[in-house]
Amino acid sequence: MKWEILTPNEHGDWLNQRDDIFETFIPIAPEKKFDLKTNAIFLANIVGVATGRDAWVLNFSKQCLANNLQLMIEFYNNQSKLYADGKLINPALNIEDFIDTNPEKISWTRALRKDVSRNTLHSFKNNGLIKCMYRPFTKEWIYYDKNFIESPGLWSQIFPTPEHKNLVICCMNVGSSKEFSTVISDCISEYQLIFANQCFPLYYYEEQEKQHATLFDSAIDKKEFIRRDAVSDFILGRCRKAYGDRVVKEDIFYYVYGVLHSAEYRERFASDLKKMLPRLPLVDDARDFWAFSKAGRALAALHLNYENVAAASGVIVNIAPGIAVNYRVEKMLSNTTSKY
């Protein structure tokens, strides 16, 4: 057997060593969130939502989700009241010895146990039901209420209300055994959308009280949200110097999405992307910058509007008389027909 001597690099990599040039690229994530003086591409990276109780707070049906939450909250409030009564009789009553852990009634987490111990009651909020990108190209309804989301993240600054529009580039965090992946979303994204989901927004919103709010306004109506760019001034300055003053931050956002989908980038820096969040080069030629930006914009349009794409031409679906349109694919054939 012909042996080869392995020598680890300065990072301690024995196999699949990272490329030295990767660290010379511009980091996509800042060292400190919302630092306006950052030398990174984005001002913030947002971790995907980790609910701790997906079966309760996520559902394809908005009505089923509302029904589930109302039942769980009712059960929780009853537990909270009973525990408060029990403490009057036995001050040493332990929360773990008391609560009903039946998974068909509730999913307990550390935060909810603490709320019971404090005799905190909760109520169902209709405006808490919003869309969530749960898996690639798979949206569900989520009940985004911090009382029932174990790790809500900073999403209230990215999508403060359903009316506030935004885009986020979602990519894998370090440590995945799978190949690097990225996808764009126009709504809140779940933690395992892709491995340990890290999200980079186009905008973020700052909250302030309305100057002319009235007593009749709801709590949300009494707030105003100022939109801020999440793409840094630093990268805008670099790109304008290299590619011209017509570059705007949205062009850079789509440039990032285009480069992250580059097969050459993913293959060459595969080892680096398993060990570090992405770092991106700025191409030398302005024509290449615009090519990546336009490609990223076109990809984003496809990935965001996947639900509205027209059926491919030549595909024919034959449904027998009396059979409901509810079928599953048994086999995908190589030509334009399929067996259902």
Side-chain angles (χ1 to χ4, degrees):
M1 178 181 292
K2 184 178 179 180
W3 292 93
E4 179 182 349
I5 296 175
L6 297 178
T7 304
N9 62 15
E10 62 183 271
H11 305 291
D13 300 332
W14 289 80
L15 300 173
N16 302 319
Q17 295 185 353
R18 60 194 88 182
D19 194 318
D20 289 338
I21 197 175
F22 191 77
E23 288 207 46
T24 68
F25 296 160
I26 301 171
I28 192 174
E31 291 186 6
K32 181 181 178 182
K33 289 181 174 60
F34 306 113
D35 177 9
L36 299 181
K37 296 181 180 180
T38 185
N39 288 338
I41 295 174
F42 289 95
L43 297 180
N45 57 307
I46 312 300
V47 180
V49 173
T51 72
R53 51 174 65 83
D54 284 9
W56 287 96
V57 299
L58 281 153
N59 203 300
F60 285 109
S61 166
K62 187 176 183 180
Q63 188 57 55
C64 286
L65 178 59
N67 293 341
N68 289 344
L69 262 297
Q70 288 172 13
L71 288 172
M72 189 182 79
I73 292 172
E74 181 181 351
F75 179 78
Y76 162 83
N77 286 336
N78 184 56
Q79 289 279 286
S80 184
K81 292 174 182 176
L82 290 175
Y83 181 71
D85 293 341
K87 288 281 284 186
L88 293 175
I89 300 171
N90 177 15
L93 182 62
N94 186 286
I95 186 71
E96 297 297 336
D97 297 332
F98 177 82
I99 57 173
D100 185 343
T101 57
N102 185 344
E104 295 184 1
K105 296 180 179 179
I106 195 169
S107 178
W108 291 103
T109 54
R110 173 184 50 81
L112 274 190
R113 286 180 170 88
K114 187 177 292 185
D115 284 352
V116 167
S117 66
R118 295 171 177 171
N119 194 27
T120 302
L121 301 181
H122 294 302
S123 60
F124 176 76
K125 305 177 183 68
N126 279 310
N127 61 7
L129 300 174
I130 57 178
K131 281 288 188 178
C132 171
M133 186 68 78
Y134 185 63
R135 294 293 180 267
F137 311 112
T138 305
K139 289 181 180 178
E140 294 192 27
W141 290 96
I142 187 173
Y143 184 65
Y144 189 75
D145 183 320
K146 292 183 178 180
N147 296 312
F148 295 95
I149 301 289
E150 190 68 6
S151 298
L154 298 174
W155 288 97
S156 58
Q157 291 179 255
I158 309 304
F159 296 99
T161 73
E163 286 70 42
H164 287 84
K165 306 303 179 184
N166 209 342
L167 297 174
V168 288
I169 294 174
C170 306
C171 67
M172 304 170 77
N173 203 346
V174 300
S176 174
S177 60
K178 299 178 181 178
E179 294 182 1
F180 178 81
S181 181
T182 181
V183 68
I184 196 168
S185 174
D186 57 2
C187 58
I188 285 178
S189 302
E190 205 270 337
Y191 184 64
Q192 292 298 351
L193 168 66
I194 44 184
F195 178 81
N197 184 17
Q198 298 287 310
C199 304
F200 299 88
L202 179 58
Y203 308 113
Y204 66 95
Y205 292 87
E206 290 184 347
E207 179 186 314
Q208 67 177 20
E209 296 297 323
K210 274 187 179 179
Q211 295 183 357
H212 303 291
T214 71
L215 293 173
F216 301 100
D217 288 333
S218 66
I220 195 69
D221 291 333
K222 291 181 180 179
K223 299 175 182 177
E224 289 183 326
F225 298 94
I226 301 172
R227 194 179 76 178
R228 306 291 190 191
D229 291 322
V231 177
S232 71
D233 290 339
F234 161 79
I235 194 63
L236 177 64
R238 289 283 301 270
C239 288
R240 283 186 170 175
K241 183 177 180 180
Y243 313 127
D245 290 342
R246 71 187 182 101
V247 175
V248 297
K249 291 182 176 181
E250 190 174 284
D251 297 323
I252 299 169
F253 181 82
Y254 289 117
Y255 170 82
V256 171
Y257 200 56
V259 173
L260 291 179
H261 277 91
S262 163
E264 181 182 355
Y265 173 82
R266 291 189 182 191
E267 290 170 8
R268 177 171 178 180
F269 303 111
S271 295
D272 302 86
L273 292 169
K274 290 181 183 297
K275 299 163 184 173
M276 303 171 65
L277 283 173
R279 302 174 74 97
L280 270 64
L282 290 182
V283 292
D284 295 329
D285 194 318
R287 289 172 297 182
D288 291 333
F289 170 83
W290 289 110
F292 275 115
S293 183
K294 290 177 181 177
R297 191 182 293 268
L299 276 172
L302 288 172
H303 296 167
L304 290 168
N305 301 309
Y306 66 92
E307 294 171 300
N308 302 320
V309 176
S313 60
V315 175
I316 300 174
V317 178
N318 293 318
I319 302 174
I323 302 298
V325 185
N326 182 11
Y327 47 82
R328 64 183 178 88
V329 175
E330 293 180 353
K331 183 178 181 181
M332 294 297 293
L333 306 180
S334 59
N335 56 20
T336 58
T337 62
S338 298
K339 179 183 178 182
Y340 296 96

